[in-house]
Amino acid sequence: MDKVTKEGSPAFVPPAERIATFDNDGTLWCEQPLPVQLYFTLDRVKALAPQHPEWKTKEPFASLLKGDLKTALAGGDRALLEIVMATHTGMTTVEFEQIVKDWIATAKHPKTGKLYTEMVYQPMLELLAYLRANGFKNYIVSGGGIEFMRPWTEKVYGIPPEQVVGSSIKTKFEMRDGKPVLVRLPQLNFNDDKGGKPVGINQHIGRRPIAAFGNSAGDEQMLEYTQGGSGARFMLLVLHDDAAREYAYGPPKIAERQAGGVHAGGLRQSAERGLDRGQHEGRLEAGLPVRAKPGHGH
Amino acid sequence: MDKVTKEGSPAFVPPAERIATFDNDGTLWCEQPLPVQLYFTLDRVKALAPQHPEWKTKEPFASLLKGDLKTALAGGDRALLEIVMATHTGMTTVEFEQIVKDWIATAKHPKTGKLYTEMVYQPMLELLAYLRANGFKNYIVSGGGIEFMRPWTEKVYGIPPEQVVGSSIKTKFEMRDGKPVLVRLPQLNFNDDKGGKPVGINQHIGRRPIAAFGNSAGDEQMLEYTQGGSGARFMLLVLHDDAAREYAYGPPKIAERQAGGVHAGGLRQSAERGLDRGQHEGRLEAGLPVRAKPGHGH
């Protein structure tokens, strides 16, 4: 930290350029046994089912409503996209924000019974605060929905809406009942994952981060892009190895994804360069433990 | 201003929500006789011509290279898009940034001989500073290219890259010579004009502005969207009526566009609601004249 913040240091970075980017699922909050937005989506299917009698016999909704998640998601990305579009679109952005706020205020994690916003990692909250105290601007750069995160990230992480980058659907400006609104359309706008993360960073921030934090193959390109700049750089992958207090799934799951061919090159290259094991098992200069453990939002 | 900044005021707005959005061409800097980015584009055609011998006989490039702008642009938006794609893509984002920096440092306005960054409106610079001093965050929301503006907006307007919203092309993350880069692709990503402006605002900022400033039919929806929020709102259209010190083209040009059917409804509605003549000929509470006159960047 001293290298980039002490005036006169050869690697000094002006405050305006101290950009840190964070993945969300599995980096700032728990993504096990399933990503939180998937629970939100399933609850939306249940809430909307009375308006969609056809879902009783139409897959993937029929299986979902019977609680058979495995069959419902057997259709892969296409089935998931169909469920997301059916539950996340048609309303205005303001209406969707309220739906998310209402849900996140009460929905509980299936294993711990805690609010999802309490399933955040205490060391990462401390890291966010530490960076902020040193003049950094923290951004979320997540594969999750941008409008699913914005309603609560400021309260939970101290990250305001304009510092949230995520996946999005298209919206359309129109007058509804004489009021100007943005309507959420059932079309993907941007997939903020893997190679999309550097693209989203450039689009929203227009600066290359000097620090980046992730936990999975989806964060690989963001870390590589961060490392590719000049001067001092810091990249970290969170390791999940504490089955007692959270879930243990870090490297094995990444290895599994690699074996599946999703990211054959990326993580292997990173491991060779020391991005991987070396840093995610290490400690930040500030002395924060980087092993994940669930904490409490503030 | 007191209404939204004085604690205890019924219309008080916390600093984090004090968002002001500004069109750029014709609102912050001169867009006559042609928008600045078009001059950049024409200069790029000349610079790249030696690498494209086929342009000598291929329209719209052939006419451009002969200096016959009228014939070159007779093909309308399609011809313009072809020229933009041929000159703005293929390189990395870092390379493009340098091209813009080099050009903007030396290119001169055809009538005044001043740098384009000196063809900015002094009252608007004062307005930006006044809003900033009152806790506002100023954003540019322009139909111009986001990466064409970011290299110089901080120096000229005090608006950093992450507060610039604009039109964009798609980019792709890849490794070039072992380095992680974003390559600019010849595909439109987002058209930040008219109904696109509220969409871009929501995408980048995630908050509805409480003040918005424009000068043309392309800003109409941004002003309507701003007006549609609750609490105190401020919308302004800059009037260009000073042919001696700048150009006189404000309302007639808007009327002409309306007649052409581009925005039959919007501006007429605004005029009825007092958005148009009432405010752009008025004065801000701070006492700043809002008639455009060219000034100097700081």
Side-chain angles (χ1 to χ4, degrees):
Chain A
M1 183 61 80
D2 281 356
K3 274 191 208 168
V4 295
T5 60
K6 282 256 161 80
E7 294 250 17
S9 157
F12 178 76
V13 177
E17 294 168 23
R18 292 180 202 157
I19 303 291
T21 55
F22 290 83
D23 169 57
N24 185 39
D25 297 310
T27 299
L28 295 178
W29 76 352
C30 182
E31 65 177 347
Q32 296 289 339
L34 293 170
V36 179
Q37 195 169 357
L38 191 49
Y39 289 113
F40 168 74
T41 304
L42 301 181
D43 283 352
R44 291 308 301 156
V45 169
K46 286 178 204 155
L48 293 168
Q51 298 164 43
H52 293 275
E54 76 278 11
W55 285 358
K56 275 182 200 154
T57 53
K58 190 187 170 197
E59 292 297 350
F61 303 97
S63 294
L64 274 190
L65 290 170
K66 284 179 211 142
D68 181 359
L69 196 63
K70 203 176 162 185
T71 303
L73 297 182
D77 283 353
R78 186 187 287 184
L80 187 59
L81 198 65
E82 191 178 350
I83 299 165
V84 168
M85 290 305 176
T87 52
H88 285 58
T89 72
M91 69 294 280
T92 69
T93 51
V94 172
E95 288 163 353
F96 185 73
E97 182 183 359
Q98 194 58 52
I99 290 167
V100 172
K101 279 182 176 171
D102 291 345
W103 184 83
I104 204 90
T106 55
K108 305 272 173 66
H109 187 272
K111 179 174 157 186
T112 66
K114 290 182 181 190
L115 291 173
Y116 289 109
T117 50
E118 293 173 328
M119 296 292 293
V120 296
Y121 303 124
Q122 183 60 32
M124 298 307 283
L125 295 180
E126 292 170 21
L127 173 58
L128 289 167
Y130 174 68
L131 288 167
R132 231 175 355 248
N134 281 279
F136 276 75
K137 209 184 235 187
N138 298 323
Y139 283 81
I140 290 174
V141 179
S142 168
I146 188 168
E147 303 297 12
F148 176 71
M149 296 182 283
R150 281 172 161 167
W152 52 268
T153 55
E154 183 145 34
K155 196 173 158 197
V156 175
Y157 303 134
I159 297 180
E162 62 268 32
Q163 286 163 228
V164 178
V165 182
S167 296
S168 58
I169 55 162
K170 290 194 188 294
T171 62
K172 186 178 182 297
F173 176 80
E174 65 177 51
M175 302 298 286
R176 255 192 197 183
D177 305 325
K179 284 185 181 171
V181 298
L182 293 169
V183 177
R184 294 171 56 84
L185 305 179
Q187 297 166 44
L188 188 67
N189 179 57
F190 182 63
N191 183 9
D192 191 44
D193 198 25
K194 304 186 179 85
K197 291 203 174 193
V199 170
I201 287 169
N202 182 62
Q203 181 75 15
H204 283 254
I205 313 176
R207 306 187 195 259
R208 196 186 288 242
I210 65 168
F213 305 84
N215 78 305
S216 79
D219 302 313
E220 194 49 34
Q221 291 86 345
M222 173 169 77
L223 270 59
E224 293 190 332
Y225 183 62
T226 301
Q227 191 180 41
S230 58
R233 304 275 142 178
F234 189 92
M235 288 71 60
L236 180 142
L237 287 173
V238 172
L239 170 68
H240 296 267
D241 66 349
D242 189 338
R245 293 188 301 168
E246 202 226 1
Y247 293 87
Y249 68 99
K253 188 143 182 189
I254 288 175
E256 187 189 298
R257 288 189 201 163
Q258 279 190 269
V262 177
H263 263 271
L267 282 170
R268 205 167 303 134
Q269 285 173 12
S270 300
E272 284 163 13
R273 288 204 306 265
L275 251 184
D276 194 6
R277 293 207 74 79
Q279 295 192 341
H280 71 198
E281 295 193 337
R283 298 182 135 252
L284 301 187
E285 287 182 26
L288 298 173
V290 298
R291 283 164 192 261
K293 58 180 178 182
H296 296 266
H298 56 83
Chain B
M1 183 61 82
D2 280 355
K3 272 191 208 168
V4 296
T5 59
K6 282 258 161 78
E7 294 251 17
S9 158
F12 178 76
V13 177
E17 294 168 22
R18 292 180 202 158
I19 303 292
T21 55
F22 290 82
D23 170 56
N24 185 41
D25 298 310
T27 299
L28 295 177
W29 77 354
C30 181
E31 65 176 349
Q32 294 291 336
L34 292 171
V36 179
Q37 195 169 357
L38 191 48
Y39 289 113
F40 168 74
T41 304
L42 301 181
D43 283 352
R44 291 307 302 155
V45 169
K46 287 177 203 155
L48 294 168
Q51 298 164 43
H52 294 274
E54 76 280 11
W55 284 357
K56 276 183 199 155
T57 53
K58 189 189 172 195
E59 292 296 352
F61 303 97
S63 294
L64 273 189
L65 290 171
K66 284 178 212 143
D68 181 359
L69 196 62
K70 203 177 162 186
T71 303
L73 297 182
D77 283 352
R78 187 187 286 184
L80 188 59
L81 198 66
E82 190 178 350
I83 299 165
V84 168
M85 290 305 176
T87 52
H88 285 60
T89 72
M91 69 292 280
T92 69
T93 52
V94 172
E95 288 162 354
F96 185 73
E97 182 184 357
Q98 194 58 51
I99 290 167
V100 173
K101 279 183 174 171
D102 291 346
W103 184 83
I104 203 90
T106 56
K108 304 270 173 66
H109 187 272
K111 179 175 157 185
T112 65
K114 289 184 181 189
L115 291 174
Y116 289 108
T117 48
E118 292 173 329
M119 296 293 293
V120 297
Y121 303 125
Q122 184 59 32
M124 299 307 283
L125 295 181
E126 292 170 21
L127 173 57
L128 290 168
Y130 174 68
L131 288 167
R132 233 179 348 250
N134 280 279
F136 276 74
K137 208 184 235 186
N138 298 324
Y139 283 82
I140 290 174
V141 179
S142 167
I146 188 168
E147 303 297 12
F148 176 71
M149 297 181 282
R150 280 172 162 169
W152 51 268
T153 56
E154 183 146 32
K155 195 173 160 196
V156 175
Y157 302 135
I159 296 180
E162 63 268 32
Q163 286 162 229
V164 178
V165 182
S167 295
S168 58
I169 55 162
K170 288 194 188 295
T171 62
K172 186 178 181 297
F173 176 80
E174 62 177 54
M175 301 299 285
R176 257 191 195 183
D177 305 325
K179 282 185 184 172
V181 298
L182 292 169
V183 177
R184 292 171 58 83
L185 305 179
Q187 296 167 45
L188 188 67
N189 178 57
F190 182 62
N191 183 9
D192 190 44
D193 198 25
K194 304 188 178 83
K197 290 203 175 193
V199 170
I201 287 168
N202 182 62
Q203 182 75 16
H204 281 254
I205 313 175
R207 306 187 196 259
R208 195 186 289 241
I210 64 168
F213 305 85
N215 79 306
S216 80
D219 302 313
E220 193 49 34
Q221 291 86 343
M222 175 169 76
L223 269 60
E224 293 190 331
Y225 183 63
T226 301
Q227 192 180 39
S230 59
R233 303 276 144 178
F234 189 92
M235 288 72 58
L236 181 142
L237 287 174
V238 172
L239 171 70
H240 297 267
D241 66 349
D242 189 338
R245 294 188 302 169
E246 200 226 3
Y247 292 88
Y249 68 100
K253 188 143 184 185
I254 286 174
E256 184 189 301
R257 287 187 201 166
Q258 279 190 270
V262 177
H263 263 271
L267 281 170
R268 205 166 304 134
Q269 285 172 15
S270 300
E272 285 163 11
R273 287 204 307 266
L275 252 185
D276 193 6
R277 293 207 75 78
Q279 296 193 341
H280 71 198
E281 295 193 337
R283 297 184 136 251
L284 300 188
E285 288 182 25
L288 297 173
V290 299
R291 281 161 196 264
K293 60 180 180 184
H296 296 265
H298 55 86

